[in-house]
Amino acid sequence: MHSGANIENLIRTQYGYTGEFYYLEHHLSHAASSFYPSGFDSAAILTIDGVGEKATTTMGVGKKGKISILKELQYPHSVGLLYSAITSFLGFKVNNDEYKVMGLASYGKPEYQEAFGKLVAVSESGAIILDLSYFEFHRNGNQMFSDKMAGLFGPPRVPEMDNIELRHANIAASLQLVTEKIIDKMLANLFDMTGEENLCMAGGVALNSVANWKCFKRSLFKHIFIQPAAGDGGSSIGAALWIAHQVSNETLNGTTPYHTMLGPAFCDDEIQGYLDNEQADYTYLDGSDLYDTVTDLILENKIIGWFQGRMEFGPRALGNRSILANPCHPAMKDIINRRVKFREDFRPFAPAVIEEEYHKYFDLEFPSPYMLFVPKVRDGMAQKIPAVTHVDNSARVQTVSKAVNPKFHSLIKAFGKKSGIPVLINTSFNIRGEPIVCSPKDAYKCFLYTDIDYLVMGNFLIRKEI
Ligand SMILES: [Fe+2]
């Protein structure tokens, strides 16, 4: 542990903190963020990101509350930075839009594998060496790739100017395939090293839900847990949990099921006070009346802003700050994009399904509560839920349990009773480039400024004035 006198002083003087300070390595925080909430007594742990201190990937093991890092890959050789460099080459934002590249990959063919063979050498254990002559990030923080990269892929795409062409989708598909091959090798190596059946993952690359699913399925691991806030935000949870286990000697592992509802909540009185102040047009609906009314609206293909309980921690809205719609309407993806989200056409929307019935619709053997896996939609089901089925017949599914989110579960179940399909489109309650809404004020403003048809906050159904 190191000392950081300036930071300590700042925290003591600004916040009046009088306790101890502990400094954790970045990847240890990522590892802890996944292992401690996993519920596993022991597990192999893989963390992959851009870079933290010097490490870009670590392999380790967690046992009886202790985490040991066994092996690490060091900067500048980084799967995360490779993915980010190509994200930038394709005209998207680094550290932000990598998931768009993952979505775009489904539209292409991996025709640039040979070119990627020049960018990155991959050993049998999954260790990589980047050919730095194609990159710039290690010399100049503002530029990810060098001019030489155009020799492999053609000219880089100019953001917001150049259209997205098949060539871009093919580059994305090749990147995705190379990434999956690297992770396959890392997982094989990690399994050999640890002999564990359980796998925990964290780090920004663990948000690559397509790779997570394919690589886990091909590995010898039997169970998997991925920290839903796998990016750097989630390392704060890891650091806190590590201290709780190592310093305070608490044992939190497996005591309660992990969930992401850790943010602010607003009671009905607060919501009503805000709505009255805004002179909003609302109705209070009790119990089943709420589910009945909202599911009728969704069946009429209305777009619903759904604001309930505590805000989710991490990058995904999982049913508390969500926009919901009918997954059975073939044009619903385009309708939401056109009227509310204003995002790229190629990006799919995710389905939320009740946990009791996910296996009927998706080729998934275990629940996926955080949208971190992308299984295939089962044969014959894609035409029933066209708005959430991606171009390659996959879906970034969220399974919703009654125990974790009873209100969202009840709504989806009520929709299933009427439509025969206990699935809803669930996309985050925000517009392109904006953060997810947090407070009633954020939600109401987003509702007013977009073409969301109805807003539900707590038990209040809010209409737009005509
Ligand atoms: Fe990180």
Side-chain angles (χ1 to χ4, degrees):
M1 291 176 195
H2 320 281
S3 132
N6 290 342
I7 297 169
E8 292 186 15
N9 265 339
L10 188 74
I11 293 171
R12 287 195 197 285
T13 50
Q14 295 245 326
Y15 300 102
Y17 178 72
T18 55
E20 296 287 320
F21 282 83
Y22 300 93
Y23 287 79
L24 271 77
E25 287 185 354
H26 186 80
H27 277 257
L28 180 60
S29 304
H30 275 315
S33 80
S34 186
F35 176 59
Y36 291 123
S38 71
F40 299 141
D41 285 333
S42 70
I45 310 170
L46 178 65
T47 66
I48 323 179
D49 69 359
V51 60
E53 287 101 27
K54 280 188 176 167
T56 60
T57 294
T58 67
M59 295 183 188
V61 66
K63 263 188 186 134
K64 293 184 181 156
K66 304 276 180 204
I67 294 173
S68 313
I69 303 295
L70 307 173
K71 199 170 174 181
E72 70 176 39
L73 186 63
Q74 290 200 341
Y75 183 86
H77 305 295
S78 163
V79 181
L81 290 172
L82 168 66
Y83 213 99
S84 292
I86 302 298
T87 297
S88 173
F89 187 86
L90 292 173
F92 297 106
K93 266 193 213 148
V94 169
N95 285 338
N96 197 62
D97 290 351
E98 282 75 3
Y99 66 103
K100 296 182 184 175
V101 174
M102 182 186 81
L104 181 63
S106 302
Y107 287 84
K109 291 204 167 74
E111 290 180 352
Y112 289 92
Q113 283 187 76
E114 209 181 310
F116 272 93
K118 291 181 180 160
L119 283 185
V120 55
V122 186
S123 80
E124 266 316 296
S125 65
I128 64 163
I129 296 178
L130 299 180
D131 180 339
L132 294 173
S133 66
Y134 290 100
F135 298 90
E136 202 57 50
F137 62 79
H138 55 295
R139 285 189 284 265
N140 168 6
N142 297 319
Q143 174 74 24
M144 293 300 292
F145 56 89
S146 74
D147 293 344
K148 194 176 165 187
M149 202 174 273
L152 297 177
F153 301 127
R157 179 175 162 262
V158 180
E160 311 291 339
M161 291 274 291
D162 294 349
N163 288 331
I164 294 170
E165 299 163 358
L166 185 58
R167 175 174 68 94
H168 303 126
N170 289 341
I171 296 168
S174 310
L175 170 67
Q176 183 64 28
L177 187 66
V178 167
T179 304
E180 289 164 11
K181 284 183 175 176
I182 294 168
I183 297 174
D184 278 341
K185 290 186 173 182
M186 286 177 173
L187 291 185
N189 185 224
L190 184 59
F191 182 84
D192 286 347
M193 262 196 307
T194 63
E196 294 288 336
E197 291 187 341
N198 303 322
L199 171 65
C200 292
M201 286 174 69
V205 179
L207 291 171
N208 191 314
S209 45
V210 173
N212 291 344
W213 178 243
K214 288 185 186 170
C215 298
F216 169 68
K217 290 273 280 183
R218 291 192 288 245
S219 79
L220 294 172
F221 289 103
K222 293 207 168 108
H223 309 284
I224 184 167
F225 177 84
I226 302 177
Q227 165 57 243
D232 286 351
S235 60
S236 57
I237 286 183
L241 288 172
W242 192 88
I243 298 299
H245 281 78
Q246 306 306 315
V247 180
S248 310
N249 258 332
E250 291 182 39
T251 308
L252 305 174
N253 205 2
T255 49
T256 49
Y258 187 67
H259 63 76
T260 65
M261 292 174 285
L262 304 169
F266 302 85
C267 67
D268 272 359
D269 283 351
E270 288 172 287
I271 295 170
Q272 187 165 22
Y274 176 77
L275 293 174
D276 285 339
N277 207 33
E278 292 291 319
Q279 298 182 311
D281 177 7
Y282 67 82
T283 312
Y284 184 88
L285 293 167
D286 231 345
S288 60
D289 278 354
L290 178 74
Y291 305 124
D292 208 36
T293 307
V294 175
T295 52
D296 278 346
L297 293 170
I298 295 173
L299 274 170
E300 290 166 22
N301 296 318
K302 303 296 185 200
I303 301 172
I304 310 294
W306 180 255
F307 179 104
Q308 303 291 339
R310 287 186 177 276
M311 186 184 183
E312 301 88 340
F313 179 74
R316 303 269 116 76
L318 296 168
N320 284 7
R321 300 290 186 277
S322 290
I323 291 171
L324 307 176
N326 183 359
C328 311
H329 187 325
M332 190 47 79
K333 183 177 109 170
D334 296 333
I335 293 169
I336 300 174
N337 268 335
R338 196 177 64 242
R339 291 179 44 193
V340 180
K341 298 285 278 195
F342 312 113
R343 61 188 213 172
E344 296 87 351
D345 295 344
F346 62 83
R347 291 170 52 200
F349 284 115
V353 58
I354 56 171
E355 197 174 276
E356 299 87 326
E357 302 216 32
Y358 67 83
H359 53 277
K360 285 188 194 164
Y361 297 87
F362 307 100
D363 185 14
L364 183 72
E365 295 100 2
F366 48 84
S368 168
Y370 314 118
M371 293 186 187
L372 284 167
F373 303 112
V374 185
K376 292 287 178 197
V377 177
R378 286 204 187 279
D379 288 348
M381 290 301 175
Q383 60 269 38
K384 293 191 176 178
I385 47 172
V388 289
T389 302
H390 199 26
V391 63
D392 59 0
N393 257 15
S394 67
R396 186 163 53 85
V397 60
Q398 177 198 1
T399 56
V400 179
S401 86
K402 191 174 181 178
V404 170
N405 196 335
K407 210 162 181 177
F408 192 34
H409 183 274
S410 294
L411 181 73
I412 305 171
K413 197 171 172 182
F415 181 78
K417 272 197 179 144
K418 285 183 186 167
S419 67
I421 312 277
V423 179
L424 289 175
I425 292 178
N426 176 12
T427 183
S428 54
F429 195 161
N430 65 328
I431 55 171
R432 190 179 175 196
E434 294 270 322
I436 298 175
V437 300
C438 174
S439 66
K441 181 181 175 187
D442 298 338
Y444 189 65
K445 299 286 176 206
C446 186
F447 167 62
L448 289 186
Y449 296 149
T450 63
D451 244 347
I452 293 173
D453 295 301
Y454 291 87
L455 171 61
V456 182
M457 286 205 278
N459 281 56
F460 298 94
L461 174 71
I462 301 130
R463 293 172 196 83
K464 274 188 181 144
E465 286 182 30
I466 301 167

